[in-house]
Every structure is written in C-alpha cells, then in structure tokens.
Amino acid sequence: MPLPPSDLSIALRRLRGSSSDVWTIWRRRILFLAGGICVGLAAVLMAKAADAAQAVFRQALHLSPALALLLCPAGFALAAWLARTVFPNSQGSGIPQVIAARALDDGPARHALISLRVAAGKNVVMCLGLLCGASIGREGPTVQVGAAIMATLGRLSPERMRGLLLAGGAAGVAAAFNTPLAGIVFGIEELGRAYDRRGSALIVAAIVAAGLTSLAILGDYTYFGTSDAQLSLTAGWLAIPVLGMAGGLAGGLFSRIVIGFGRGLPGWAGAWIARRPILFAMLCGLGVALCGLASGGAVYGTGYEEARGILHGESEPRWAFAPLKFLATVLSSISGIPGGLFAPSLAVGAGLGAHASLLLTDVSVGALVLIGMTAYLTGVLQAPITSFVIVTEMTQNHSLMIPLMLAALIADAVSRSVCRGGLYHTLAEELVRRAADERKA
C-alpha cells in the first residue's frame, strides 16, 4: 500500500537528513586524514631543511671556530627582524601560539597566529636560526606548522576548528620524533589539557596519517637509537630523586626566565629591550657564540648528536656541556627568533645524566642519561606523562619506564615550586591578553 503524500515527504526528508549526516561524518574523517598526510610531509621537509642548515653551519666552523662570533650575532639579528616585521607571530617555539589559537573565538586573531604565511615564515626563519648556530629545535615549530595546515583545511569544517588545531599540533609531534603515542599524550596533556571522547578517534587518525607519511619517506627509525640500559636496585635508584630534583629545578628556572622575558622585564632593562629588540637579539647571538667556543662547538644547534653520543657512550661526558647548553638555549629562546625547546632540553637532560655518571660510576650511563632527559624535559614543560612517554618511545627502552615515571613526578613537583605556571600555557595566556587588548583598541 503506497504511503500518503504527507508521510512520503516526511520519509524523503529523513532520508536526505540521514545522507547529509553521513556526508558530514565522512567529510570530517577525510579532512583529518588528508591533514595528517600534509602534516607528515611538512614534518619531513622541516627535518631535512633543519639538518641541512646545521650541516652548513658546521662546515663554516671548520674554516675557523671564531667565525661564530660573526655568524651568530648577524644571523640572530636578521632572524629576529624577519620574525618581527615580515612574519609576525612566528617567534618562539610555536606551541603557545597553537594553545592561544584554540582559546580564541575571534577568527582574525586566531588566523594571525596560525596562518600559512606564519607557518612558512616559521620554517624559513627557524632554518636561518640553525644556520647561524642557535640552540633551538624543530619540534615546536612543527606543531605550529601542523596546526596551520589543519586550520587551512578547517575552513571546510569551521565547527571542528579546535579539534583540527589539536590534531595538527599532535600530529606534528608524532611525525617530528616518530613517536605516535607521545603525539597523542602531548595533545591531551599539553595542547588540550582535557580528553575529548568525540574527537579522539579523528585526532588519532590524523596522527596515524602523519606518522605513516613520515615512515614512508624516512623509514622506521628510533630517534635516539635503541637503548637497553638497565638500572641497578641500589645506587641506580638513588639517582632518581637526585636527577628528578636537579632536572625540575633547572627546568623550572629555565621556564621562569623565558616567561619573564616573554612578559617583559620591569624597569630600564625591559624598556631597553622593547626599544632595541634587534640589538638585543644580536647580543644573544654573541652570547651563544661564546658558549659555543667554550664548549668546543658542542652547544650549537639542536643538540641531537651530542645527546645521542652521550646516551650510547660514543662521547665522553663533559662537566661544561649541560650548563653551557642550558645558557645557549636560554639566550636563543629569549632572543625572539623562532625555535623549539624539545631537542635542546633533551640535550641538557643528557648532560645532567652524564654529570651524575661521573659521581655514580657503578650505574649505567645510558640509564642516567634517560632519567636526566625525562627529568629536565618535565621541568621545562611541566608535562610529566608526555616527557616519560616521549623518552621511552625515542629509545624503545621499556624496562626503565617506572624509574622514568618517578623522575618525571619528582621533577614536575620541583619545577612547579620554582615556576607556578607552565611555560607554554603562561606564554599562551600572554598572547590571548594581547589579542584582547588589540581588539579593544
């Protein structure tokens, strides 16, 4: 028996609504997958460009290490000028910009932080920084670039913009380090600071797409190489609270310094920096050059090779490496040039572990280095879960997971006693405040 005309129209409307819902769901899925692939490609390109920039700088230093006294100040000044005038909002690591963009409701203000122009400038100026010896990483910039790519695609689905930004940033971490679990944890713990059940599957899909893209190009690899270091049950476990407290104290101090300069120093010093930011960047570059000369060139760049060498016993631990790398990273971070903190922080943590190995001679150097990495990274980020997961994935050492967890918890508590607000979120709050002031003006 045929349906009456009224019932037939209702059924057709329901069918059209159901088809529209199915298309909306699949459009979102395709959007996250396509965005993940693009983020993976961008992460690979940024990694290759960063490695090439560092190689060129090292080749220049082979002519004369003293060239750093010219290259670093000049490069810092140019990078700071580009970041302020040509590519505004590309300064720093890029993670505070993504957090701020997720908090902003104003479309233009959000776009100013995560546009493709900012992403392109981030990559260019970051490579310029590495080309002149800055102690920076590429992982934070990859987060901002990933979020910018997702935001551009998100114009097709603006109601999912916050989820897209979270997915892009998390996919950037996963592809940069080949650490998919760390990408998921970082997205929840640091970028989102909440668990979104509805969007979690799409975020994982973007991370998987980015990770598979990176694997297809670079192959399966472990960032720091596989480590089978073990920890003894006597002196080794005594090192956990020592390194946890040292890493938390140093990481909290680092964050407090960077936040202070990010907000603007009080008095004449802050006023002078605000009036002459390019000259200040040049002085920071000179300071990095002096640190590099004092360390024999070990503190330039990301610190990846130095940290890997210490971890695997391929280079002798030096007392001066950790403090000089710490100082070089502080100067690079407050100079106003783009650059991330993950890789340099892991290098400083490796140096702390090496220092401990000079005192605890009966304990595995590799185990102390991994604990130092986790402790210092936690001290800087105040994100303990991300820190021990990322170090575990970077080395495929699961036997040390409990010691790394304990070190991360201790470091987090100590860091919060030194610096109450997390580095990235405090800087993000400053960006949101400035956006609100500009809107009122």
Side-chain angles (χ1 to χ4, degrees), residues 27-28 31 110 151 153-164:
R27 183 185 65 180
R28 290 174 182 171
L31 194 63
R110 176 190 292 162
L153 295 175
R155 294 175 183 175
L156 301 174
S157 184
E159 73 280 1
R160 299 293 298 173
M161 181 60 73
R162 284 184 171 84
L164 285 162

Side-chain angles (χ1 to χ4, degrees), residues 14-272:
R14 288 177 177 174
L15 182 62
R16 285 195 296 269
S18 176
S19 301
S20 176
D21 290 342
V22 171
W23 164 241
T24 299
I25 292 171
W26 277 102
R27 183 185 65 180
R28 290 174 182 171
R29 292 176 179 175
I30 294 170
L31 194 63
F32 276 77
L33 287 171
I37 293 171
C38 293
V39 173
L41 289 171
V44 171
L45 291 174
M46 291 178 71
K48 290 185 175 296
D51 291 344
Q54 291 186 96
V56 171
F57 180 74
R58 292 194 195 98
Q59 289 295 324
L61 294 189
H62 282 321
L63 300 176
S64 172
L67 276 175
L69 295 172
L70 174 63
L71 294 176
C72 291
F76 270 59
L78 178 58
W81 179 80
L82 289 172
R84 290 180 64 86
T85 59
V86 182
F87 304 109
N89 293 315
S90 67
Q91 301 97 321
S93 78
I95 295 174
Q97 286 90 330
V98 177
I99 296 172
R102 294 189 74 245
L104 289 169
D105 293 320
D106 183 34
R110 176 190 292 162
H111 180 73
L113 296 173
I114 50 167
S115 67
L116 284 181
R117 177 184 175 85
V118 171
K122 191 83 172 186
N123 193 23
V124 170
V125 187
M126 175 201 70
C127 290
L128 175 60
L130 291 171
L131 193 63
C132 64
S135 179
I136 55 176
R138 55 178 170 81
E139 298 76 25
T142 306
V143 170
Q144 189 176 8
V145 170
I149 291 171
M150 283 295 202
T152 302
L153 295 175
R155 294 175 183 175
L156 301 174
S157 184
E159 73 280 1
R160 299 293 298 173
M161 181 60 73
R162 284 184 171 84
L164 285 162
L165 294 177
L166 179 58
V173 170
F177 283 128
N178 189 30
T179 52
L181 286 178
I184 295 170
V185 173
F186 179 76
I188 295 171
E189 185 179 34
E190 191 64 13
L191 293 181
R193 292 206 166 175
Y195 179 72
D196 180 10
R197 184 182 61 82
R198 292 179 56 199
S200 61
L202 295 176
I203 293 169
V204 172
I207 291 171
V208 169
L212 288 176
T213 303
S214 177
L215 286 175
I217 299 173
L218 300 178
D220 192 9
Y221 69 97
T222 305
Y223 188 80
F224 280 124
T226 304
S227 170
D228 57 358
Q230 302 287 328
L231 198 64
S232 63
L233 294 176
T234 53
W237 281 77
L238 292 176
I240 295 174
V242 173
L243 283 171
M245 288 187 287
L249 181 63
L253 178 61
F254 175 89
S255 295
R256 189 157 188 170
I257 293 171
V258 174
I259 289 171
F261 278 87
R263 288 175 169 172
L265 296 180
W268 67 268
W272 185 86

Side-chain angles (χ1 to χ4, degrees), residues 290-317:
L290 294 174
C291 290
L293 291 173
S295 68
V299 303
Y300 296 124
T302 62
Y304 164 77
E305 292 185 357
E306 289 76 15
R308 184 186 176 104
I310 295 172
L311 174 63
H312 294 287
E314 298 168 358
S315 60
E316 290 295 325

